[in-house]
Amino acid sequence: MDRRTLAGGLGGLALVVAAVVALRAGDGPDTLKREIDDGVEVVQQQEPAKPANPRAQALDADALQIAWNGSASAYEVRWNGTEQLVPGPEVEIGGLSPEERVEVEIRAVSATGKRSEPLRISATPKDLYNDRWDDQLVGQVDRFDGPEALDPRKWRVEAEPECLGLRPFGPGKRIDVDCPMAAFQSNTPIRFGVPASDGAIGRAIISVGGAVESSHVRLTLLPDPWQYLRETDSQPRGAVSLDVTTQGTRIIADPDLPRTGKEVQLGDAPLTGLVAGVRHRWEMRVLPDAVVALRDGVVVAYEPVAIKEPLVHPRIRIDGGGFLDTFGVGGVPERVLPTEVLSLVQDAEVPQDAAAAKIVALEPGNQVRITDVPAGVRKIAAADPAQLVIIRKPESRPGTLPKLADRPGGIRTGAPRLHVMHEDGTKHPQPIPRRGRILVTAEINAIGHRGIELELDGRRIVALPTDEQGPGVPGRHEFWLDATKPAPGSHARLKLSVLPADHAEPVTTETVFELGTTP
């Protein structure tokens, strides 16, 4: 099971206490029987409501993004004989014919697998695709669609090698990032020029998708020489960042940059952040007196600051996973400077094809010291924690390509979670009173499961099918447990098992909570 958990709403359900029942869900050999032990009450969920207000757009001529309004645990999307379960109210469909009209059906799905009536929408990709988005860019747009995408002439990568891969997207692939943190430093600078028709003197555009609830993407414009230093959690001097999470988008600027008082009208965007498994296009538009963030062409954030440096260096940082699609810059055209950065933890050599070399070190007070290496010097003594920067000749190729192994498609899921709280508000890890009722909450992140089981002190107390009208989806299940039910002792153990549809090994989690000494 992948360590990552699904993004999407698992809460917000109106709940009422159901009567204690023990019913058969069916008689087939693959059907899990619903069994609820005495002393356990199931908190019933509302019927899944039909989704509403469908919307469509296209980032490519062969793909559609469909969004809608709803608050269900998850959704079932059907098109062209294909079916997909998604954790939130949005899906991206790739590999379509640009000229073909696609009929899409969306159904809300409850945590027990019940489906709503379908919402229907139809669209043709070419009618929605807007290729004018690239008109203001200069040079070649980077498309992260294969093993050569991270050419070391153009990119320096800071990540564990095994956490980068290639995931399917439509007929092609995209770079999949499965790291706690990965940084991608572009060797193509942005030089600011005269204002364009939209007022921008420069820009950076990134198309990227989220992975999970905690996904975080940051696009930073770094002044020289900060592009040579390793990524840190501190904001470099003079830097401005486009900061995107699943919660929204904002601009973060060095507080020492001059403030201008510029006001920018925000657009009417229902969502402004990352979405699991769905690409969106963010633009960081630099004006003479502000930096503006756009999501799919709609202004979602800005900061009234002025960047005084004439040239900056873009860096992409991804925390918690995601996938890279495209990247481009606008301004005055600048050539790529093939650059390699080596940590001087030991003696190093300047290669024969180096056009220049320098030593860069971060000093106290958030200052950077630069020492040029004289021409002809080939051996550099260790100077930890300094960095040796090697700027190579244009025809050179520094370093090697990252190894990007193929990975399966689909939305990754994480382990289930258990929470325990007494009806008086006492929560684990505080001792739970031995009176009244205990609320047990099971959060399921899996897709395609057939049911869940709950055990108390080694004895099964709940068996609940989750495939009432189709495969199970992420969702929340709640149960009231008689507080006198746990066996005598100072602690009680709850175990939750999620049962895959293919009868493979269940995915489990456990929690042990302390019991009070008196009723």
Side-chain angles (χ1 to χ4, degrees):
M1 178 64 67
D2 194 286
R3 65 171 176 81
R4 297 186 290 185
T5 57
L6 286 165
L10 297 180
L13 300 175
L15 303 171
V16 295
V17 178
V20 179
V21 293
L23 302 174
R24 293 177 63 88
D27 297 319
D30 293 335
T31 301
L32 179 70
K33 297 178 183 178
R34 176 185 168 106
E35 296 178 355
I36 311 298
D37 200 16
D38 291 338
V40 179
E41 292 178 288
V42 180
V43 180
Q44 187 96 1
Q45 303 172 3
Q46 281 186 329
E47 295 290 304
K50 177 182 175 179
N53 190 25
R55 308 173 295 279
Q57 67 173 16
L59 289 188
D60 291 322
D62 62 352
L64 281 176
Q65 293 163 302
I66 311 292
W68 55 90
N69 292 354
S71 58
S73 294
Y75 299 87
E76 180 184 81
V77 184
R78 298 179 182 179
W79 75 96
N80 292 351
T82 301
E83 180 181 303
Q84 182 177 345
L85 295 170
V86 296
E90 192 167 358
V91 69
E92 183 162 20
I93 304 168
L96 302 175
S97 170
E99 307 282 341
E100 181 183 351
R101 192 163 188 83
V102 182
E103 304 286 339
V104 182
E105 291 186 352
I106 305 114
R107 293 170 172 81
V109 185
S110 72
T112 57
K114 192 165 186 178
R115 269 65 173 166
S116 71
E117 289 297 313
L119 171 70
R120 294 181 174 89
I121 182 174
S122 61
T124 304
K126 75 174 182 63
D127 292 343
L128 299 176
Y129 176 57
N130 181 5
D131 59 2
R132 291 178 298 175
W133 281 346
D134 294 338
D135 288 350
Q136 300 289 349
L137 301 183
V138 296
Q140 184 178 2
V141 174
D142 287 283
R143 301 193 182 279
F144 302 106
D145 55 1
E148 301 284 332
L150 292 172
D151 184 339
R153 282 182 295 247
K154 301 181 69 175
W155 293 94
R156 300 197 307 275
V157 180
E158 184 182 334
E160 294 297 327
E162 64 275 7
C163 75
L164 302 178
L166 293 170
R167 62 176 290 178
F169 181 78
K173 298 175 182 178
R174 296 295 187 274
I175 290 182
D176 184 50
V177 182
D178 186 14
C179 315
M181 192 283 289
F184 307 85
Q185 177 65 58
S186 174
N187 287 333
T188 306
I190 300 174
R191 183 174 294 279
F192 300 133
V194 297
S197 59
D198 55 13
I201 58 175
R203 70 194 76 225
I205 294 179
I206 182 173
S207 176
V208 62
V212 293
E213 225 170 289
S214 57
S215 289
H216 184 180
V217 174
R218 180 172 289 190
L219 172 61
T220 301
L221 303 183
L222 296 165
D224 192 79
W226 291 92
Q227 74 274 17
Y228 300 132
L229 298 176
R230 294 179 64 84
E231 178 67 16
T232 69
D233 292 331
S234 301
Q235 183 80 352
R237 292 173 63 91
V240 179
S241 299
L242 170 69
D243 194 70
V244 189
T245 69
T246 53
Q247 303 303 309
T249 301
R250 60 178 178 163
I251 297 290
I252 301 175
D254 177 5
D256 290 337
L257 286 173
R259 310 287 296 185
T260 66
K262 172 79 171 181
E263 293 186 3
V264 178
Q265 181 69 38
L266 299 181
D268 183 16
L271 295 173
T272 64
L274 291 164
V275 177
V278 180
R279 298 173 305 158
H280 286 280
R281 183 185 178 100
W282 279 268
E283 178 181 354
M284 195 173 184
R285 185 177 294 174
V286 181
L287 312 179
D289 51 2
V291 180
V292 181
L294 297 91
R295 181 185 191 261
D296 296 335
V298 179
V299 176
V300 293
Y302 76 96
E303 193 69 16
V305 294
I307 299 178
K308 295 303 183 182
E309 298 291 334
L311 185 142
V312 292
H313 305 265
R315 176 181 292 177
I316 303 166
R317 170 172 170 163
I318 298 180
D319 293 277
F323 69 101
L324 283 171
D325 179 45
T326 60
F327 174 80
V329 299
V332 178
E334 279 284 336
R335 66 175 183 173
V336 176
L337 294 176
T339 306
E340 185 176 8
V341 179
L342 304 174
S343 181
L344 278 176
V345 293
Q346 58 187 15
D347 292 352
E349 291 190 0
V350 179
Q352 293 288 337
D353 64 349
K358 58 185 73 179
I359 298 172
V360 179
L362 184 63
E363 295 190 329
N366 213 19
Q367 300 289 336
V368 181
R369 175 172 50 85
I370 303 174
T371 304
D372 289 326
V373 176
V377 173
R378 292 297 169 214
K379 186 167 254 340
I380 306 297
D384 189 36
Q387 309 268 73
L388 174 62
V389 177
I390 302 167
I391 301 172
R392 297 183 184 251
K393 297 175 182 178
E395 65 273 14
S396 300
R397 181 169 184 163
T400 58
L401 280 167
K403 294 181 179 180
L404 302 176
D406 287 342
R407 292 177 176 168
I411 297 177
R412 293 175 174 82
T413 60
R417 293 177 285 190
L418 270 175
H419 307 280
V420 176
M421 181 180 72
H422 194 268
E423 63 181 343
D424 69 2
T426 303
K427 295 181 180 179
H428 174 69
Q430 299 298 317
I432 303 297
R434 288 182 177 270
R435 63 179 184 275
R437 299 182 303 171
I438 300 169
L439 181 64
V440 177
T441 302
E443 291 186 359
I444 312 302
N445 295 310
I447 282 183
H449 51 93
R450 62 189 178 92
I452 64 171
E453 293 180 336
L454 191 65
E455 296 179 12
L456 176 63
D457 295 327
R459 188 172 66 85
R460 191 175 75 171
I461 59 173
V462 170
L464 186 67
T466 56
D467 56 356
E468 185 173 341
Q469 294 178 338
V473 299
R476 182 195 300 266
H477 303 269
E478 295 186 326
F479 310 94
W480 286 112
L481 173 65
D482 185 342
T484 64
K485 195 74 175 174
S490 59
H491 293 82
R493 181 184 298 273
L494 278 171
K495 178 181 178 182
L496 172 66
S497 299
V498 182
L499 310 178
D502 60 3
H503 293 267
E505 284 295 314
V507 179
T508 65
T509 188
E510 293 187 0
T511 187
V512 177
F513 58 94
E514 184 179 354
L515 295 165
T517 56
T518 58

